[in-house]
Amino acid sequence: MEGVDHLAHERNKSEFDVDAMKIVWAGSPHAFDVSDRISKLVASDPGFRKDNRSTLSRKELFKNTLRKAAYAWKTIVDLRLSEEEAAKLRFYVDEPAFTDLHWGMFIPAIKGQGTEEQQQKWLPLAYKMQIIGCYAQTELGHGSNVQGLETTATFDSQTDEFIIHSPTLTSSKWWPGGLGKVATHAIAYARLIVGGREHGVHGFIVQLRSLEDHSPLLGITVGDIGMKFGNGAYNTMDNGVLQFDHVLDVYSIAFASIAVMLWVSQVTCEGKYKQSDVPRQLVYGTMVYVRQTIVADASCALSRAVCIATRYSAVRRQFGSQNGGPETQVIDYKTQQSRLFPLLASAYAFRFIGEWLKWLYADVTQRLQANDFSTLPEAHACTAGLKSLTTTATADGIEECRKLCGGHGYLCSSGLPELFAVYVPACTYEGDNTVLLLQVARFLMKTVSQLGSRLSSKKPVGTIAYMTRVEHLMQCRCGVQRGFAELSADLVEAAVAHCQLIVVSKFIEKLQQEIPGKGVKQQLEVLCNIYALFLLHKHQGDFLSTGCITPKHAALANDELRSLYSQVRPNAIALVDAFNYTDHYLGSILGCYDGNVYPKLYEAAWKDPLNESVVPDGYHLYIRPLLKQEIRTARL
Ligand SMILES: CCCCCCCCCC/C=C\CCCC(=O)SCCNC(=O)CCNC(=O)[C@H](O)C(C)(C)COP(=O)(O)OP(=O)(O)OC[C@H]1O[C@@H](n2cnc3c(N)ncnc32)[C@H](O)[C@@H]1OP(=O)(O)O
Ligand SMILES: Cc1cc2nc3c(=O)[nH]c(=O)nc-3n(C[C@H](O)[C@H](O)[C@H](O)COP(=O)(O)OP(=O)(O)OC[C@H]3O[C@@H](n4cnc5c(N)ncnc54)[C@H](O)[C@@H]3O)c2cc1C
């Protein structure tokens, strides 16, 4: 029945202050207020409806996304929302679109790598959306290997301009989000050529389309690369293909390139190239920035899936009826708990590691401004490794949540298939997860060779086993005289172990902070222990081989896990309520707040276009002849 909370009995079991946990999840009372207000604003506005996406054609879907993006911008302007509120609104609109790359990469690239002069030129236009930008780095032939990019930017000292060109088919820019049909400008990465000499990959701001009629400019060929995984999903985004045919950068100011050249290097008006003495990898700065935001995104995506699966697991009953009584809630089965609760713990773990990574990125950015590059290698390794670890775990976790919901998890109305389809490219974009782990492995090898076996002593006591595991994995690999490439698969395992050590240690450090609210810290301690012991159980071979735990310890850890699952059980619904997601944002009948699943599933079925007629199109043409044997049947 509408209005009845079918999960009230679960909510009454909670042993902690849910409202206080909401603040912890949001990060602060202010952050909670903004999230709560904006999520309800979006949920209550029919202009942001999203439950029909799976029934639209690609063109209808894309046009609807453009409508929503324009409507969101109008809402932001009309309500005079702050930058923080506007970002939250785009988050809760929950539709991959060109705006993600405009705000998420194009603007950060200019802010992070542009000089004052170029920021003054481009940022006001970008903030007012008078230009729409994308980040055009990947090419048809190269994505992971940035130094393999083929697009060229040749400096013409006669005209004081750059000629951007795609010399080969494989040099076509390929994948940039927003590029296909919307972006008017790109930050394009190209090989800089000055005076016949090549100076590696640099970034350039290039105008792609007329601001008058949106037609591609002279020398620009641009379009969409076609349908992607899943039906609705990421097909709201116009990932594009772009070719430059000797584009003279005549449509914007003469000096086209962004200041990464002025910051990392310079091209003088006389056509002289001056390499400054900063690490050339600063040209990758935007990727480092996005990787740390992707870690925070992982906690959002995983928590969304876990909220759906947890609420549905409390609603669903299957088997176990005693004397005609109610069947057993599937959330009470130990197998369901052993699959679901580690994901609940991971969602909280990724939330806190995302907070720490945001601090680390801000710290390294501040140091870079003072020409202090001392923490850049660690920042690169951490952002690369944690992006890889959290996105892999989240993609796998969303799929596990779908399976935890049985058959109904496969319905679009569960919200899980689309969430999976939209999320999984995070394991690839912003750096293929294996390629990024190889960067971490390289960092660990260097650290071991510099520090000897002790990778780091600065870890909480509870992580000794985790630290010993990493050192053991590294010693086993570094000890043998074989090349990095030969050992890379093993070193990637050590890299994963290192990242897991960081997540566990930052969760423990979080618990050392002052955390207000009845029972809140206790619940987080249970979740932290679940996260740490679940991984210890999953990788117990590594831990046993280090000798720092015995088989008896491993057995005790497993017993403790079961006990911890029992402690979470009465609090599970409250722990996912703490995410404070609206039904609109969840987009899931199985995860609806009131747990009134079956009537909503049944009602939703009849809304499918296929049910607009009781006799389907095609019956008279194909089925009736079949049934009436009017088609000559093969001799049996
Ligand atoms: C439900 C949620 C739904 C959400 C939906 C939202 C939708 C929208 C979201 C969209 C978000 C993002 C869109 C995606 C955008 C992109 O994909 S942009 C393109 C991303 N591309 C990449 O990430 C490419 C990956 N490759 C690289 O980064 C480099 O090629 C690589 C680092 C692998 C190698 O670089 P090289 O230049 O070849 O360097 P090496 O020789 O390996 O190393 C040399 C030294 O440099 C150090 N290094 C490398 N990178 C960095 C760095 N970034 N910062 C600092 N230092 C770096 C490296 O450690 C070596 O150091 P050493 O010599 O060992 O001391
Ligand atoms: C949805 C989506 C959105 C995107 N948006 C953008 C965007 O806005 N802008 C942009 O510039 N790009 C974008 N990209 C491109 C993305 O950044 C690249 O696809 C990504 O960096 C991976 O590069 P690749 O495609 O070349 O993969 P590859 O490197 O070709 O990966 C193929 C396989 O090779 C393996 N491999 C590669 N190198 C090594 C190595 N050295 N050692 C071991 N294994 C290796 C990988 O692990 C992988 O298994 C997007 C991609 C997607 C899917």
Side-chain angles (χ1 to χ4, degrees):
M1 289 159 286
E2 276 310 307
V4 173
D5 180 359
H6 295 257
L7 289 170
H9 65 289
E10 288 291 340
R11 293 183 168 110
N12 293 335
K13 295 176 187 172
S14 167
E15 299 161 338
F16 67 96
D17 180 342
V18 180
D19 290 333
M21 186 67 88
K22 287 180 179 179
I23 303 293
V24 171
W25 178 263
S28 70
H30 168 76
F32 171 76
D33 168 60
V34 171
S35 282
D36 188 57
R37 200 160 28 85
I38 299 299
S39 66
K40 286 172 178 157
L41 169 75
V42 172
S44 62
D45 189 330
F48 294 122
R49 176 190 176 202
K50 62 179 188 176
D51 58 353
N52 62 341
R53 276 191 299 220
S54 58
T55 61
L56 301 177
S57 69
R58 176 83 197 283
K59 288 181 81 172
E60 291 166 335
L61 186 72
F62 187 69
K63 187 175 179 182
N64 190 47
T65 299
L66 300 186
R67 175 194 64 75
K68 271 191 203 175
Y71 186 66
W73 182 245
K74 183 177 183 309
T75 304
I76 289 164
V77 172
D78 289 352
L79 299 182
R80 300 175 184 279
L81 298 186
S82 68
E83 201 175 318
E84 179 190 13
E85 291 168 329
K88 275 298 172 193
L89 185 129
R90 284 190 292 270
F91 172 80
Y92 284 115
V93 167
D94 180 35
E95 187 135 325
F98 64 91
T99 42
D100 296 313
L101 284 305
H102 175 76
W103 296 99
M105 293 202 79
F106 181 75
I107 288 176
I110 298 172
K111 283 171 73 174
Q113 301 182 21
T115 57
E116 277 306 312
E117 180 196 349
Q118 286 171 329
Q119 292 187 37
Q120 284 160 15
K121 153 82 184 150
W122 295 105
L123 288 181
L125 296 170
Y127 274 121
K128 292 182 198 140
M129 293 202 82
Q130 288 169 340
I131 60 173
I132 297 173
C134 67
Y135 184 89
Q137 177 180 293
T138 302
E139 294 173 356
L140 188 58
H142 292 91
S144 292
N145 180 9
V146 177
Q147 290 310 313
L149 296 178
E150 298 174 83
T151 302
T152 58
T154 306
F155 184 68
D156 180 344
S157 54
Q158 303 302 317
T159 63
D160 193 18
E161 290 178 317
F162 291 92
I163 301 165
I164 311 267
H165 182 59
S166 306
T168 60
L169 175 67
T170 48
S171 69
S172 308
K173 290 303 176 184
W174 189 275
W175 272 115
L179 170 65
K181 310 308 287 183
V182 181
T184 60
H185 289 70
I187 290 185
Y189 283 80
R191 316 195 72 80
L192 171 65
I193 298 167
V194 180
R197 275 195 62 199
E198 205 208 88
H199 299 280
V201 172
H202 291 70
F204 297 80
I205 298 179
V206 188
Q207 185 170 347
L208 306 173
R209 293 174 177 272
S210 158
L211 294 178
E212 299 309 317
D213 63 9
H214 207 59
S215 58
L217 299 181
L218 183 66
I220 299 278
T221 304
V222 63
D224 185 89
I225 61 171
M227 282 288 276
K228 297 165 289 266
F229 184 97
N231 204 359
Y234 214 95
N235 288 299
T236 55
M237 178 81 79
D238 53 326
N239 298 90
V241 50
L242 162 67
Q243 283 192 329
F244 300 106
D245 180 3
H246 298 95
V247 172
L248 266 174
D249 192 24
V250 293
Y251 300 94
S252 60
I253 56 168
F255 193 59
S257 79
I258 57 176
V260 66
M261 297 180 49
L262 292 184
W263 212 40
V264 176
S265 51
Q266 278 191 3
V267 177
T268 65
C269 295
E270 298 76 38
K272 291 277 177 284
Y273 177 79
K274 285 164 62 181
Q275 170 74 39
S276 51
D277 57 357
V278 296
R280 72 170 171 81
Q281 281 73 23
L282 290 184
V283 78
Y284 297 160
T286 307
M287 293 189 280
V288 177
Y289 163 75
V290 177
R291 287 170 190 154
Q292 60 96 17
T293 66
I294 287 175
V295 173
D297 272 351
S299 75
C300 297
L302 183 57
S303 57
R304 221 169 121 178
V306 165
C307 183
I308 294 167
T310 301
R311 286 178 176 166
Y312 182 64
S313 297
V315 168
R316 184 69 167 176
R317 291 174 180 272
Q318 207 70 194
F319 299 110
S321 167
Q322 303 294 331
N323 308 321
E327 293 180 73
T328 302
Q329 289 170 275
V330 297
I331 197 171
D332 287 329
Y333 290 123
K334 292 303 179 190
T335 49
Q336 192 85 352
Q337 293 177 9
S338 68
R339 293 161 61 196
L340 177 60
F341 292 164
L343 296 177
L344 174 59
S346 299
Y348 276 86
F350 294 170
R351 191 70 169 184
F352 302 140
I353 198 66
E355 285 178 358
W356 173 76
L357 206 56
K358 188 175 178 183
W359 168 85
L360 181 73
Y361 179 78
D363 179 68
V364 76
T365 303
Q366 204 172 16
R367 291 169 183 265
L368 292 179
Q369 281 153 6
N371 274 352
D372 170 0
F373 308 110
S374 60
T375 61
L376 186 61
E378 183 188 6
H380 166 50
C382 283
T383 49
L386 291 169
K387 181 270 180 187
S388 180
L389 179 83
T390 56
T391 54
T392 295
T394 296
D396 294 348
I398 295 169
E399 169 58 0
E400 188 62 19
C401 286
R402 182 191 66 77
K403 290 187 279 191
L404 281 160
C405 294
H408 304 340
Y410 194 61
L411 282 168
C412 283
S413 61
S414 76
L416 290 164
E418 180 163 74
L419 177 57
F420 180 76
V422 163
Y423 189 79
V424 285
C427 298
T428 305
Y429 62 54
E430 219 55 69
D432 165 84
N433 281 355
T434 300
V435 168
L436 295 181
L437 286 174
L438 288 165
Q439 288 288 307
V440 180
R442 178 171 172 161
F443 169 77
L444 291 176
M445 291 272 280
K446 278 193 81 168
T447 306
V448 165
S449 63
Q450 288 162 357
L451 300 180
S453 60
R454 298 297 301 171
L455 277 169
S456 162
S457 56
K458 299 178 294 178
K459 292 282 183 294
V461 171
T463 61
I464 298 292
Y466 272 80
M467 200 155 56
T468 312
R469 171 193 176 209
V470 177
E471 288 160 2
H472 178 77
L473 289 172
M474 286 306 292
Q475 280 155 13
C476 293
R477 275 78 189 183
C478 298
V480 296
Q481 293 311 317
R482 269 175 281 165
F484 182 90
E486 177 65 22
L487 293 171
S488 54
D490 307 86
L491 289 167
V492 157
E493 288 177 8
V496 171
H498 177 70
C499 295
Q500 288 171 341
L501 164 64
I502 296 172
V503 178
V504 171
S505 58
K506 295 306 171 188
F507 204 155
I508 292 171
E509 285 177 16
K510 176 73 181 181
L511 296 173
Q512 284 153 4
Q513 295 174 11
E514 184 61 37
I515 299 178
K518 178 181 84 64
V520 171
K521 181 176 271 197
Q522 289 81 345
Q523 287 303 314
L524 293 176
E525 282 165 352
V526 169
L527 293 175
C528 180
N529 290 334
I530 286 177
Y531 184 77
L533 292 177
F534 171 75
L535 288 180
L536 187 144
H537 175 71
K538 183 178 177 184
H539 301 284
Q540 60 181 287
D542 287 350
F543 288 97
L544 289 168
S545 62
T546 63
C548 66
I549 70 164
T550 65
K552 183 163 178 46
H553 291 145
L556 287 172
N558 213 16
D559 296 342
E560 176 60 12
L561 259 180
R562 275 196 300 276
S563 162
L564 289 164
Y565 293 157
S566 303
Q567 294 175 52
V568 166
R569 170 62 189 89
N571 300 288
I573 292 301
L575 284 166
V576 300
D577 283 352
F579 302 146
N580 200 42
Y581 292 146
T582 62
D583 282 352
H584 170 270
Y585 176 65
L586 279 180
S588 167
I589 288 176
L590 304 189
C592 59
Y593 183 85
D594 67 8
N596 192 24
V597 170
Y598 293 134
K600 288 176 180 170
L601 274 183
Y602 189 78
E603 183 191 350
W606 297 107
K607 290 180 182 168
D608 188 279
L610 215 51
N611 291 321
E612 284 165 3
S613 63
V614 289
V615 175
D617 289 351
Y619 162 74
H620 293 285
L621 206 51
Y622 305 112
I623 304 303
R624 182 176 176 77
L626 205 64
L627 295 171
K628 296 298 178 190
Q629 294 302 311
E630 288 161 8
I631 296 176
R632 182 181 304 283
T633 47
R635 192 174 300 286
L636 295 181

